[in-house]
Amino acid sequence: RLAALTLVALTAAACVYLVWVFVLRVSQRPSYALTFSGLLALSAAHLVFGSVTETYIFSAFGLILFFVMLLSRERPVRGFLLPGLLTLGITVTNVVQSLIGFALVRRDGREWIRFVSLLLATGVALTVLTALIYPKSMGLFYVPSDLLLESKHAAHLEAGARISSRFVQVTKSLFFYDVVAVPPDVTIVEKGGRDSFPKFNYFQPPFGLKEYLSNRFALPPFILWSLLLVGAVTRFLWRGKKSSYFSFQLAFLAILFFNLGMHLFYGFEPFLYTPNWTYALLFFVALSLDEIKKQEWVDWALILLLALLLVNNGLFLRVMANHLSPFFPG
């Protein structure tokens, strides 16, 4: 158990380092890169999934590594195989993000087809090998019947919510809950063969912002993050193709909207999937706010946001730990 937790924490730390590498390469400003790596480290999604034994942090690592490699325009197609396989091996749907990024950044149809072919061929071969070594321990992602088993997690089957409510709920997780934490709803559940344990959900009332307005620690970082997010979108629309990294910005937006569309119908709890897109959100904001006039104001706003997140998200993690501590072994 301790080895698994250590591996998760090291992978989360590697994600933070890779964010620093990415932002440093595009901005050439170490302090700017440091603030955005800090934003990932202190984000609600990263604090949670960098601390629990779940596989989502490994998928996030593969995706971030993939986009760091994409910065090298001359890298051969085979150079993207490792992060692509890692992402495919953790969550099949996340490999779509790699395919979107490759298509929009490299913009070479032949290279894209080569990448897809190489990725699928190697993925199928490794899956067959794993199935031979560990028979009946996993499904085969290329077999439709095995792949469709995931349909049991379809949101419209479990949540039973109207599409408008679901849209708002997923949007909040996509742009806000993954960065600025809100208090979770905690219930004690029991499953066959397991002891009772706490379950955390983030099913706040979809319309309105009561979860932030009623929390004195969450409201300040929420306001500041919202301003930075609006500023990033405005500057992206204003600059358009004039941006040196417009293709990357377009790719990150496409990834965000891909996740929005998919999780309207998949996944009972949207917050569970936040590591799959938090990196894309922060990269989009970093690229959009880079080289803005009076940059020092942006830098100070980012530093202030880090301080506010340290308080709010730190208290959020403490609340979760307090609920979990009675269930820890002695």
Side-chain angles (χ1 to χ4, degrees):
R1 182 171 63 248
L2 292 178
L5 285 171
T6 302
L7 180 60
V8 166
L10 288 173
T11 306
C15 290
V16 174
Y17 171 72
L18 288 175
V19 169
W20 179 82
V21 170
F22 182 93
V23 180
L24 179 62
R25 289 186 183 177
V26 300
S27 69
Q28 300 299 313
R29 294 192 296 125
S31 60
Y32 191 68
L34 188 61
T35 53
F36 274 94
S37 63
L39 285 179
L40 180 73
L42 293 177
S43 67
H46 209 69
L47 285 175
V48 172
F49 293 98
S51 308
V52 299
T53 47
E54 266 287 0
T55 58
Y56 294 104
I57 197 65
F58 302 105
S59 182
F61 173 80
L63 289 166
I64 297 172
L65 179 61
F66 186 88
F67 281 96
V68 170
M69 289 183 169
L70 263 182
L71 288 172
S72 177
R73 306 280 178 154
E74 305 302 322
R75 186 181 298 275
V77 172
R78 63 179 180 276
F80 299 97
L81 183 59
L82 178 61
L85 282 174
L86 177 59
T87 306
L88 175 65
I90 300 298
T91 308
V92 174
T93 52
N94 278 353
V95 80
V96 177
Q97 299 188 40
S98 302
L99 301 182
I100 291 173
F102 195 97
L104 292 177
V105 174
R106 296 294 282 252
R107 300 188 180 185
D108 187 318
R110 291 183 179 180
E111 279 195 343
W112 188 84
I113 293 174
R114 286 176 57 202
F115 173 60
V116 173
S117 302
L118 182 62
L119 184 62
L120 287 178
T122 311
V124 169
L126 290 175
T127 302
V128 171
L129 177 62
T130 305
L132 290 173
I133 298 174
Y134 304 101
K136 298 182 179 181
S137 64
M138 58 180 287
L140 305 176
F141 76 91
Y142 51 86
V143 176
S145 59
D146 287 351
L147 191 60
L148 289 176
L149 287 174
E150 286 296 311
S151 62
K152 65 183 179 181
H153 298 300
H156 67 278
L157 295 177
E158 295 190 36
R162 293 183 295 118
I163 191 67
S164 57
S165 299
R166 179 70 181 182
F167 177 83
V168 175
Q169 182 189 24
V170 176
T171 300
K172 284 184 176 182
S173 293
L174 197 75
F175 295 105
F176 300 109
Y177 290 174
D178 53 343
V179 177
V180 184
V182 293
D185 297 321
V186 185
T187 55
I188 306 301
V189 298
E190 296 182 4
K191 288 187 178 180
R194 298 175 62 179
D195 295 332
S196 60
F197 61 95
K199 182 179 181 181
F200 302 92
N201 288 115
Y202 302 84
F203 295 136
Q204 306 291 343
F207 300 101
L209 295 169
K210 182 180 179 181
E211 61 269 36
Y212 287 115
L213 297 177
S214 61
N215 190 324
R216 60 177 178 172
F217 294 108
L219 184 59
F222 167 74
I223 293 174
L224 185 52
W225 170 245
S226 299
L227 291 174
L228 289 170
L229 199 55
V230 170
V233 173
T234 302
R235 184 159 173 79
F236 168 74
L237 296 175
W238 179 262
R239 295 179 71 190
K241 293 184 179 180
K242 294 179 182 178
S243 172
S244 303
Y245 292 94
F246 176 74
S247 60
F248 277 92
Q249 291 172 289
L250 206 59
F252 295 135
L253 274 182
I255 286 169
L256 291 171
F257 283 107
F258 163 74
N259 280 287
L260 175 60
M262 183 176 72
H263 289 291
L264 284 178
F265 306 100
Y266 179 82
F268 182 65
E269 170 59 83
F271 185 82
L272 184 64
Y273 306 97
T274 49
N276 299 340
W277 63 68
T278 304
Y279 78 95
L281 179 63
L282 293 179
F283 279 165
F284 173 78
V285 173
L287 292 174
S288 299
L289 295 181
D290 188 29
E291 298 181 353
I292 199 172
K293 291 183 179 179
K294 298 183 179 180
Q295 186 72 44
E296 63 272 13
W297 289 103
V298 176
D299 294 340
W300 281 111
L302 291 170
I303 292 172
L304 177 59
L305 179 59
L306 281 174
L308 294 172
L309 288 178
L310 182 62
V311 175
N312 179 68
N313 292 0
L315 291 173
F316 160 75
L317 204 62
R318 181 180 178 182
V319 168
M320 293 190 69
N322 287 339
H323 283 290
L324 287 168
S325 59
F327 299 88
F328 288 161

